[in-house]
Amino acid sequence: MCGIVGYVGKRDCTKVLLDSLAKLEYRGYDSAGVAVFENSEIKVSKSKGRLLELKNKLENEGWIDGCCGIGHTRWATHGEPSDINSHPHGNRRVSIVHNGIIENYQKIKKFLEKKGYTFESQTDTETVAKLLDYYYDGDPMYAIRRVVAEIEGSYALGMVFKEFPNAVYAVRKDSPLIVGVGKDEAFVASDVPAILEYTKDYYLLERDEVVVLKNGKAEIFDIHGMKIEKELQTADFDLEAAEKGGYPHFMLKEINEQPNAVKTTVTPRITDGMPDLSECGLTPERLTRYKNIFVVACGTAMHAGLVGKYVIEQLARVPVTVDVASEFRYRDPILCDEDLVILVSQSGETADTREALRLSKERGADTLAIVNVKGSSIARAADMVIYTHAGPEISVASTKAYMVQISVFYLLAFELAYAKEKIDREECMRLTKQLLRMPDTINEVLQKSEQCKYIASKLVNAGNLLYIGRGLDYALSMEGSLKLKEISYIHSESYAAGELKHGTISLVTDGMPVIAVATQRKLYEKTFSNVEEVKSRGAMVIFVTHENIKADSKTVDYVIGLPSVDDILMPMPAVVPLQLIAYYTSVLKGNDVDKPRNLAKSVTVE
Ligand code: F6R
């Protein structure tokens, strides 16, 4: 939800800001803008549309020449995407960029209107800019302190003040911000990839800390102006990892990175052939203490939790409840200190998941975060954290993050099942071995790319389609359906196969595509009779199953045969064709695969 950057150094600031924003476009891409000091004046350029529009505007209407400034790429919350609503906001004295939502902006606006301020945009951010101007008396730190005391909601703010033409100020509450440091230059950014072209060294800014970039250096203060020394972090991936590397889209690159992502996530957590999560404090003693497990997350991460539920319940016999974070936080959940709440998040910044974490801690439950982004808010706030090592995920549609999230659930389920004596050591080692071999299995499935492309060509003109499955296949279908919806814009629903005849089957008409997932052998016959039901109503059936199962060709139109592993592990290979089908359908429709309409990668607002 919006990306912000700031730069102070010797380079062409406008270029640095644009290049850095390009790495943050996944956070929002409906408009963009920069404010750069030129001859000690704040010069602003902003534009509706992609970053490219802003770049063209700057090239056509005049580049801003300077070495200090701030920039923004937007995902609209208040006010439609337009030039006026684009950031930066402010006036000749102050200019700001903002990521987050100011909840009490109406109240502040009324107050400022009484003081004679006028407003031109519909954004909440403009009120912060004007409030900053109101309190600014020549001392930026004082003005920031006053503003922070008054605004409610989530924010990361980048600010410049006319009287300080060589400085960028920034502060954050619930939206992320990192401070990059290079040789004679310093940066602020919403995420690490923005700075990687220039430096791998950065500080994590905490809530209500203020950073001042000046003279090529970064100084960090608490809100009262006391200087803080912080531990320098080093990015554990390089620019290459955050670039397309020859693939036409990040999504395809990330689908293909899955074998390696699983390897780097799973391998370090195996000791003597057994899962070992003690690194994060999850010892067998601690694990067996929990009476209930809750998994709370959003979107794809929540779908990973659904796989986790089936696997943990099946193997370890511990009840698992999966919740959408935006529901969990408002449903007054019953939690106690014998419960474990697992928060799953690629970005580690998702506002609803973060709040669910806060609530869980408040109610005394232990919290475990399964997170991809190092040092993110959720990772820092949870009692325990297991990092997935997928590397940066740039495509808005999540693929490799899902894969590594479910691989962590397998580790957890195996360890818990063994600790609770539901499976013996031999069985635990056998399952773990299959998990370790999974990168090869996924690689095999990736060879089916052409077949998935062909199937996608049969879907491009569909208006609706259904995904069906039972048990783990149902959990997986939900992810397949979401993937297709978000990037192809084709409406689809995922249904428990056995539930179809309770209403939904009335939707099935001649030629309607139905993607049926049937990898759970004990449920195979049942699922197949549901497939026959849709076929006899005219459906075009795409059937995903084990490669050694021969489905009746009169019933299924296309079969994707998967290499066999234990049924419980089948979601890992089986999700791959669903991702590829969604990807190619989007490509064939000519959509912007990596930046689907209306979406943003990191949802830092409620
Ligand atoms: C879908 C997708 C989203 C995210 C969701 C949670 O492809 O990417 O549904 O999974 O917004 O995001 P994180 O995992 O960052 O909390």
Side-chain angles (χ1 to χ4, degrees), residues 298-301 344-348 350 396-398 405 482-483 486 601 603:
C298 303
T300 288
V344 190
S345 176
Q346 186 285 129
S347 62
T350 303
V396 165
S398 182
Q405 285 157 358
L482 176 65
K483 220 71 319 165
E486 63 179 332
K601 179 90 186 144
V603 187

Side-chain angles (χ1 to χ4, degrees), residues 1 251 296-303 344-351 353-354 370-373 378 393 395-399 401-402 405 479 482-483 486-487 596 599-603:
M1 304 275 109
M251 184 175 175
V296 187
C298 303
T300 288
M302 188 276 290
H303 291 159
V344 190
S345 176
Q346 186 285 129
S347 62
E349 298 294 346
T350 303
T353 312
R354 210 177 50 214
I370 300 177
V371 166
N372 196 43
V373 176
I378 292 170
E393 191 180 61
S395 164
V396 165
S398 182
T399 53
Y402 174 85
Q405 285 157 358
E479 177 53 12
L482 176 65
K483 220 71 319 165
E486 63 179 332
I487 58 171
L599 290 173
K601 179 90 186 144
S602 180
V603 187

Side-chain angles (χ1 to χ4, degrees), residues 21 30-34 45-47 49 51 54 72-74 86-87:
L21 287 174
D30 59 42
S31 43
V34 292
S45 181
K46 46 194 199 173
S47 169
L51 202 54
L54 174 66
H72 188 265
T73 178
R74 181 169 186 245
S86 308
H87 302 210

